[in-house]
């Protein structure tokens, strides 16, 4: 320990090192439940690429594991510390280095907050679409590590589609540059995409070149109430089949609607079994919403309420934004799943989740990025009740199994981390796992980067 601190101190300012165990303990884990976390030996908060390189050279020389972190808003345990590790928190590397309206790119450090970047590019008439629910807190580096998504993915896609170049500090301290600044480029293997979603297991992201889009018109929102989740999912299928491209298409089941009603006094009818929110940011959103309203009616909607303007749209979106917070008030703890299925299987996924909730005698609310088929079943349980905690964990696993049975994936945007690494092997298969491990060994031969995660 003394040797580690001495070597780190040789290349870092004193304020970049935290050794107080009461403080380092606060860096030990992210927001996931049922994920073990160890006690870090030290927390390092670098401000420069050179300082990150020094940390990695020191870690390699002493064979000390390194756990990279952003804001720790993740939900899979990917940022959890291991005993005796260096926690490398990148939140102090928070500069927006460049915004180029001609090339439509932003160059940023990993600690930049998502919402801060979004507002900064808006001032140039540009738009950075990925918008995780935690966008006011989460960092771009964390978004890259977990390949996060958000509410707008149905039209604009996920983080991976906007990361076109990276600067990476490798396990031995070398600096690797991947990708490009140009609109097109196919030189060499696509190493940039390889690092997106790698959860810090291949290298440390210290810079990113992000693609931007022109800022779209203000979106308008429609809310449709349905007598069943199946009817709401039928409406989703009709909307997508007809070729509509909503900027947002979100679903909340009965449990979620009631939790939101109780917390936010939203005035939604207790008879609502499912609430579907659709939005368009097209030049004529009213025409698009009218067409979608007709499709919702045809699918059996009991009421369809289009917003008249941006202010009303924001009011309608408040319910969806508070979904997870509202479900957290149902019990003392939650487990948030992240299963994505083909859109055509969305109804079966939600109905199957309801059956699992009944089987295990648990409250499980579902909110979903319906346009993507990405469901977020939220298992609510009393963490002080050992039996209920066991049932919660078992139900969580059964939900993932259901997703795979329906042709889906165990994670659409939250990542694998500790929580789902056993399930990753089931999804990928033996040959794919072998290839993944070979890639890991090529970039991190000593196994120092975020050990115990993903595989």
């Amino acid at each position: 320990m003394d040797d580690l601190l001495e070597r780190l101190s040789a290349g870092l300012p004193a304020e970049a090192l935290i050794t107080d165990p009461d403080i380092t303990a606060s860096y030990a884990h992210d927001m996931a439940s049922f994920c073990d976390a160890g006690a870090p030996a030290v927390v390092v908060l670098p401000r420069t690429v050179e300082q990150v390189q020094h940390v990695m050279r020191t870690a390699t020389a002493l064979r000390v594991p390194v756990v990279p972190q952003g804001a720790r808003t993740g939900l899979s345990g990917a940022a959890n510390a291991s005993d005796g590790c260096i926690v490398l928190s990148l939140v102090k590397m928070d500069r927006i280095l460049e915004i180029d309206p001609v090339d439509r790119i932003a160059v940023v450090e990993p600690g930049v907050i998502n919402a801060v970047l979004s507002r900064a590019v808006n001032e140039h008439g540009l738009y950075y679409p990925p918008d995780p629910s935690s966008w006011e807190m989460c960092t771009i580096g964390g978004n890259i590590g977990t390949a996060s998504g958000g509410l707008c993915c149905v039209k604009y896609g996920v983080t991976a589609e906007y990361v076109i170049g990276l600067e990476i500090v490798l396990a031995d301290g070398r600096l690797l540059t991947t990708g490009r600044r140009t609109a097109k480029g196919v030189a060499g293997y696509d190493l940039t995409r390889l690092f997106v979603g790698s959860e810090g297991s291949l290298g440390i992201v210290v810079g990113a070149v992000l693609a931007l889009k022109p800022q779209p018109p203000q979106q308008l929102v429609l809310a449709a109430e349905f007598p069943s989740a199946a009817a709401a999912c039928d409406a989703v299928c009709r909307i997508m089949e007809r070729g509509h491209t909503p900027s947002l298409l979100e679903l909340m089941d009965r449990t979620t609607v009631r939790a939101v009603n109780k917390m936010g006094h939203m005035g939604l009818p207790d008879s609502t079994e499912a609430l579907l929110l659709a939005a368009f940011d097209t030049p004529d959103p009213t025409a698009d919403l009218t067409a979608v309203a007709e499709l919702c009616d045809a699918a059996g909607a009991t009421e369809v309420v289009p917003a008249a303007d941006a202010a009303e749209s924001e009011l309608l979106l408040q319910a969806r934004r508070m979904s997870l917070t509202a479900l957290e008030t149902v019990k003392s703890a939650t487990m948030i799943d992240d299963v994505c299925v083909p859109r055509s299987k969305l109804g079966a996924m939600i109905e199957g989740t309801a059956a699992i909730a009944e089987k295990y005698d648990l409250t499980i609310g579902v909110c979903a990025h319906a346009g993507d088929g990405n469901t977020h079943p939220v298992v609510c349980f009393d963490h002080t009740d050992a039996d209920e905690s066991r049932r919660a964990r078992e139900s969580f696993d059964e939900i993932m199994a259901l997703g795979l049975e329906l042709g889906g994936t165990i994670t659409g945007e939250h990542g694998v981390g500790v929580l789902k690494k056993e399930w990753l092997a089931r999804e990928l298969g033996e040959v794919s796992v072998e290839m993944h491990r070979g890639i890991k060994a090529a970039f991190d031969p000593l196994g120092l980067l975020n050990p115990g995660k993903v595989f």
Side-chain angles (χ1 to χ4, degrees):
M1 175 68 170
D2 289 342
D3 191 17
L4 172 62
L5 293 179
E6 183 178 345
R7 292 202 188 194
L8 288 174
S9 298
L12 295 167
E15 64 269 17
L17 294 170
I18 301 175
T19 57
D20 183 332
D22 291 333
I23 300 176
T24 59
S26 68
Y27 286 84
H29 56 84
D30 62 17
M31 298 177 71
S33 301
F34 292 106
C35 292
D36 293 335
V42 59
V43 173
V44 180
L45 294 98
R47 290 184 179 272
T48 68
V49 172
E50 291 75 20
Q51 289 175 2
V52 175
Q53 290 181 285
H54 173 69
V55 171
M56 294 313 304
R57 290 179 185 127
T58 300
T60 294
L62 299 179
R63 304 299 195 263
V64 178
V66 176
V67 176
Q69 289 183 349
R72 290 177 287 113
T73 58
L75 294 164
S76 68
N80 284 15
S82 54
D83 284 331
C85 76
I86 299 170
V87 162
L88 186 59
S89 175
L90 299 155
V91 294
K92 299 293 186 181
M93 296 180 68
D94 59 356
R95 294 179 300 163
I96 299 173
L97 301 174
E98 181 182 352
I99 296 173
D100 188 329
V102 175
D103 290 326
R104 294 180 183 172
I105 60 170
V107 182
V108 304
E109 292 183 329
V112 173
I113 301 296
N114 184 294
V116 171
L117 174 63
S118 295
R119 294 181 183 120
V121 301
N122 287 167
E123 294 178 3
H124 295 266
L126 297 169
Y127 178 43
Y128 180 67
D131 61 342
S133 296
S134 58
W135 77 308
E136 292 281 6
M137 299 179 288
C138 64
T139 63
I140 295 299
N143 294 169
I144 292 170
T146 58
S148 56
L151 301 185
C152 70
C153 294
V154 62
K155 180 174 182 178
Y156 292 103
V158 295
T159 296
E161 295 170 58
Y162 295 89
V163 181
I164 61 174
L166 291 171
E167 278 201 323
I168 305 284
V169 173
L170 298 174
D172 59 8
R174 289 179 295 165
L175 185 63
L176 168 69
T177 300
T178 75
R180 62 192 196 279
R181 292 172 58 102
T182 55
K184 295 192 296 185
V186 293
Y189 296 133
D190 191 350
L191 296 183
T192 302
R193 280 290 187 110
L194 184 61
F195 280 97
V196 178
S198 66
E199 301 182 23
S201 64
L202 301 179
I204 312 296
V205 174
V206 292
V209 182
L210 305 174
L212 305 174
K213 289 187 175 294
Q215 189 169 8
Q218 179 68 51
Q219 66 181 359
L220 285 181
V221 179
L222 169 151
E225 298 171 15
F226 289 88
S228 69
C233 293
D234 179 32
V236 171
C237 292
R238 291 171 186 250
I239 291 166
M240 302 309 292
E241 183 181 23
R242 292 293 180 88
H244 293 288
T245 308
S247 56
L248 174 149
L249 191 57
E250 298 288 306
L251 186 148
M252 299 157 58
D253 74 347
R254 173 183 61 185
T255 300
T256 306
V257 169
R258 290 181 179 177
V260 167
N261 251 349
K262 184 176 180 180
M263 177 182 175
H265 308 289
M266 301 298 292
L268 300 171
D270 288 337
S271 59
T272 299
E273 292 293 314
L275 182 70
L276 186 66
L277 299 175
F280 287 87
D281 58 5
T282 53
D284 185 11
T286 301
D288 291 304
L289 290 180
T290 298
V292 165
E294 292 174 356
L295 294 173
C296 288
D297 285 333
T302 54
E303 187 171 2
V304 179
V305 182
D309 53 30
E312 285 190 12
S313 293
E314 184 59 32
L315 286 172
L316 290 173
L317 289 177
Q318 282 183 11
R320 174 62 182 88
R321 290 201 181 106
M322 69 171 62
S323 292
L324 297 182
T325 304
L327 287 167
E328 287 173 354
T329 67
V330 174
K331 290 276 188 169
S332 63
T334 58
M335 288 188 74
I336 304 173
D337 218 324
D338 173 38
V339 175
C340 190
V341 296
R343 295 185 193 102
S344 58
K345 302 294 184 182
L346 183 61
M349 184 68 207
I350 294 177
E351 289 181 346
T353 300
I356 291 169
E358 184 175 355
K359 173 182 175 180
Y360 287 96
D361 190 24
L362 291 167
T363 298
I364 303 179
V366 180
C367 49
H369 306 310
D372 302 323
N374 193 176
T375 67
H376 293 310
V378 181
V379 183
C380 306
F381 64 100
D382 181 355
H383 74 284
T384 65
D385 184 324
D387 182 66
E388 191 164 311
S389 295
R390 174 191 59 79
R391 285 184 279 124
R393 181 65 214 228
E394 290 179 4
S395 72
F396 186 89
D397 286 342
E398 197 158 321
I399 290 168
M400 284 192 288
L402 172 63
L404 291 180
E405 289 170 10
L406 294 173
T409 174
I410 59 169
T411 175
E413 58 186 3
H414 291 172
V416 176
V418 177
L419 191 61
K420 297 186 175 185
K421 65 179 184 177
E422 294 178 8
W423 281 93
L424 181 65
R426 302 190 200 188
E427 177 174 335
L428 295 182
E430 184 177 343
V431 174
S432 182
V433 168
E434 182 182 344
M435 294 298 102
H436 277 70
R437 287 178 173 157
I439 292 169
K440 167 71 170 173
F443 282 95
D444 182 23
L446 298 177
L448 299 179
L449 287 168
N450 218 4
K453 316 295 170 48
V454 188
F455 295 105

